[in-house]
Amino acid sequence: MAGSSSRRILRPLLYGTGTAALGGGILYISYRPRNIPGSGPAAVSPPGYSEGGKFAPPRFPLVKSRKEQIADLKRSGGVKEALEKTRGGIKTILGGVTETHEGVREDDAEPYDLLIIGGGATGSGIALDAATRGLRVAVVEKDDFSSGTSSKSTKLVHGGVRYLEKAVWELDYNQYKLVKEALRERKYFLDTAPHLSMWLPIMLPISKWWQAPYFWAGTKFYDFLAGSEGIESSYFLTKSKALDAFPMLKRSDLFGALVYYDGAHNDSRMNVSLAMTAALYGSTVVNHIQVTGLEKDLDGKLNGARVKDLVPEKNGKKADEFVIRAKGIINATGPFTDSIRQMDDEKVSEIVAPSSGVHVILPGYYSPSNMGLIDPSTSDGRVIFFLPWQGNTIAGTTDAPTQISQNPIAGEDEIHWILAEIQHYLAPDINVRRGDVLAAWSGIRPLVRDPKAKNTESLVRNHLVTASDSGLLTCAGGKWTTYRQMAEETVDEAIKLYDLKTGPVLQAPRVSGTEMIDDSAPLDGTCQTHQVRLIGAHGFSKTLFINLIQHFGVETDVAKHLTESYGDRAWTVAALSAPTEKRFPVRGIRISALYPFIDGEVRYAVRHEYAQTAVDVLARRTRLAFLNAQAALEALPTVIDLMAEELNWDSKRKEVEWKDTVQFLASMGLAKSKLSVTRKDVESGRAGEYDEHERKLYSRHDDPADTMKSDTVFASGENPGLSSDSAANK
């Protein structure tokens, strides 16, 4: 009897204790204190003042000049190239060593371990990985770093909640692996480049009550998969809280919202930082170098490439052509993958299935500054993101087959589709107008087919690393978030394919600019890019902008922009900025009144980031062309003049830059009516004149009044909605 009574008491107690423990465990996992990647203190403290009161600015290591980098490229092909050029020419023998008229000695002409074609996210990532394993690496890019797909992403660093949903419902393990890998890489992004990447809460609106548990389970599973790589836990918002966080949402058909966290980044600046960090670690990195052919030995194996420097042609001179020698060649050209593969083998079948992704940029008032939104159920089933970015709002993307071109133009049909989808979930009193689109662009995503698969029509879900019979190693597909993993796999394959010998990097550069951190410590010959901080990361913190304001007297929004775009290199950018001769701001002359980009960024881009054209600066070093095509046009004279001072351009080169840049801005959504404007038009203010459509967007010319004349169709004194005593009826 006593035992039965004890069981009646103990059983509920045990059940209650177990339930409480389980609930407590779930709550702890969900809300435990976390070390958010990228939110820690700076690894290197900001510079200060010495005992004598003198300021001690950081001393950062410099990359080689572009001229020096090209000389290194030529040196690799010196033996073959020089001997071809000196048949019957000048040749001297010095101590038994042949020297050509090019000044290249045969014993200096050591081929590179790897020649990487393509300077996008993949190519630059491969270069950094290989260089930090002790390999001798060269990278050549036909246009500029991040000039293609890598600058035209949705700006997210994400695992992909939609991929996770597919993995669950379709029981697809490959999709699951893709999400898991991307979540791990997301953490590395935030660790190695905290100044260029950040966490972003993204809202998922819920219209029906039964969707709440479904989406809650999905976002919690997303959190669970992230594990220690997670940022913050997802959470539910009631209708009122959702509208408070995102006031632009429409109230009807809104039950509540779920908010989950993903990463966001500045894609082209991330790409440039990858390339420059690789250059610091010894890679030869050169943009505006076009590969015109591949070189093979007598056995039909690739051993080099013939290239052409495109910059001299812009100056009215003959292009400089030469050969680069390398033990292995990697094709990392994104949408242009097949063009390089066909240089190797004319009969090879194409593997790239190009897909167009259009994005539009809207004013910042379309979204909160710290909250994004995802619409998982658009009219045709595609997913659309609506995100704050660089003070504006980015919306996209579409996904449609397309033709490959260098600078594709966003179609009006795609732009209107995005705007129509936006209107569906914004409040009805917000008028989504075509005239509010500040910029629009199309990026080409290189989906790929596996050439060795039985079904060559099926697309690879993630990325592809494959080698040809002659030894061309191709890495294609994938996405920004997994660039580092793609690079690691490609270098692993290259080491095996070309029998390369890796080793520790014993004399790594002091990327931080101090002796406090030894960046060579982890570089033992294996892949360590998950902990190799990029240029600018060492001295970055969330409060660095305050130090910049207090020392240089730059404006607050400019200081924040500089630290979030250059990290600790913001010290150099600010120092390169001209004094304003005003009480405040003290330094930093804006190149556009609407945005925080300043003159020092142009000088820094030329001196330290290999910018060679005005487009390089407006599109990839700053992001002005992506944020506002008209503002980029109006800033163009200033940018050209600043670059001309740095690069000694003459009037003809300035004219070339003007024409090339205006043509490029057409692919950024610049109005057709602006494509024929001249520099004089811009400088006189005529380029800012508006057409009839733009005139109707705003009340431009009305005199101050309680009711503007252009706001009513009624003549003065005839408005039946107003009293006859009203000032508007007099």
Side-chain angles (χ1 to χ4, degrees), residues 268-543:
S268 73
R269 285 227 49 86
M270 181 76 178
N271 198 155
V272 171
S273 295
L274 280 169
M276 295 305 102
T277 307
L280 275 184
Y281 278 97
S283 296
T284 304
V285 179
V286 191
N287 54 354
H288 299 285
I289 294 278
Q290 181 180 9
V291 173
T292 58
L294 300 178
E295 300 276 308
K296 297 181 180 180
D297 61 19
L298 296 177
D299 296 324
K301 297 294 183 181
L302 291 173
N303 64 358
R306 181 168 289 277
V307 301
K308 178 169 68 172
D309 183 4
L310 301 177
V311 172
E313 290 184 331
K314 292 180 177 292
N315 292 322
K317 300 176 182 177
K318 183 180 179 182
D320 190 11
E321 295 193 46
F322 53 93
V323 168
I324 305 170
R325 299 287 298 281
K327 299 172 186 175
I329 299 180
I330 296 177
N331 175 15
T333 52
F336 303 96
T337 292
D338 286 325
S339 63
I340 301 297
R341 293 176 69 245
Q342 287 163 355
M343 284 185 187
D344 175 42
D345 180 0
E346 294 180 356
K347 298 179 181 179
V348 72
S349 58
E350 294 183 351
I351 62 171
V352 173
S355 175
S356 169
V358 170
H359 295 83
V360 301
I361 290 288
L362 297 164
Y365 56 72
Y366 270 88
S367 68
S369 61
N370 59 348
M371 178 75 75
L373 185 142
I374 179 175
D375 181 3
S377 54
T378 59
S379 58
D380 62 1
R382 289 181 286 187
V383 172
I384 193 168
F385 286 97
F386 194 62
L387 311 167
W389 183 64
Q390 301 282 306
N392 284 353
T393 301
I394 183 172
T397 175
T398 60
D399 185 9
T402 188
Q403 297 296 316
I404 296 173
S405 60
Q406 183 63 42
N407 293 309
I409 295 176
E412 280 298 319
D413 290 346
E414 295 165 302
I415 293 173
H416 283 289
W417 179 84
I418 292 174
L419 297 180
E421 295 300 325
I422 292 171
Q423 186 71 77
H424 289 162
Y425 52 78
L426 293 185
D429 57 337
I430 298 176
N431 184 19
V432 181
R433 309 180 299 180
R434 176 63 177 86
D436 286 338
V437 176
L438 303 175
W441 70 85
S442 173
I444 300 177
R445 185 183 177 193
L447 304 175
V448 291
R449 307 179 184 92
D450 187 347
K452 298 178 181 178
K454 291 182 179 179
N455 180 10
T456 57
E457 291 302 312
S458 60
L459 297 175
V460 176
R461 294 186 186 274
N462 191 0
H463 60 271
L464 174 72
V465 179
T466 184
S468 70
D469 293 338
S470 64
L472 178 65
L473 187 61
T474 295
C475 179
K479 59 180 182 177
W480 240 120
T481 308
T482 57
Y483 86 90
R484 195 209 63 83
Q485 179 67 29
M486 294 164 62
E488 180 179 350
E489 292 179 17
T490 304
V491 175
D492 286 345
E493 185 64 27
I495 290 169
K496 291 187 291 184
L497 182 65
Y498 306 126
D499 193 25
L500 303 176
K501 306 299 180 186
T502 62
V505 178
L506 302 176
Q507 295 182 331
R510 298 286 178 173
V511 182
S512 66
T514 72
E515 299 295 321
M516 297 170 59
I517 296 179
D518 182 6
D519 287 298
S520 65
L523 305 181
D524 58 1
T526 62
C527 178
Q528 296 294 328
T529 47
H530 62 285
Q531 56 181 333
V532 173
R533 292 188 183 97
L534 301 189
I535 281 180
H538 296 77
F540 171 76
S541 71
K542 299 290 186 181
T543 57

Side-chain angles (χ1 to χ4, degrees), residues 209-247:
W209 69 265
W210 55 265
Q211 292 177 323
Y214 175 77
F215 288 133
W216 182 88
T219 55
K220 286 301 176 185
F221 189 30
Y222 194 61
D223 295 342
F224 173 76
L225 283 184
S228 61
E229 282 81 41
I231 302 175
E232 288 278 13
S233 294
S234 56
Y235 57 90
F236 175 78
L237 290 176
T238 62
K239 178 177 180 177
S240 61
K241 291 291 185 181
L243 290 169
D244 186 50
F246 208 115

Side-chain angles (χ1 to χ4, degrees), residues 60-134:
F60 298 119
L62 302 177
V63 295
K64 290 182 178 180
S65 69
R66 187 173 187 274
K67 185 177 180 180
E68 290 172 318
Q69 296 279 43
I70 290 176
D72 287 344
L73 292 178
K74 291 180 177 180
R75 189 172 293 112
S76 75
V79 176
K80 179 176 180 180
E81 185 76 354
L83 288 178
E84 285 180 355
K85 289 186 175 181
T86 53
R87 288 172 183 167
I90 302 171
K91 183 189 293 186
T92 60
I93 304 296
L94 299 173
V97 178
T98 303
E99 183 173 324
T100 74
H101 74 300
E102 293 280 303
V104 179
R105 295 158 60 102
E106 285 188 357
D107 59 351
D108 287 340
E110 181 184 353
Y112 287 98
D113 291 319
L114 293 173
L115 169 61
I116 301 160
I117 306 174
T122 306
S124 298
I126 292 170
L128 180 59
D129 189 308
T132 52
R133 297 199 208 189

Side-chain angles (χ1 to χ4, degrees), residues 155-158 186 190 198-200 231 261-265:
K155 322 304 177 193
L156 285 176
V157 184
H158 63 135
R186 183 184 67 177
L190 295 166
M198 65 226 71
W199 54 266
L200 178 69
I231 302 175
Y261 286 80
D262 250 327
H265 75 138

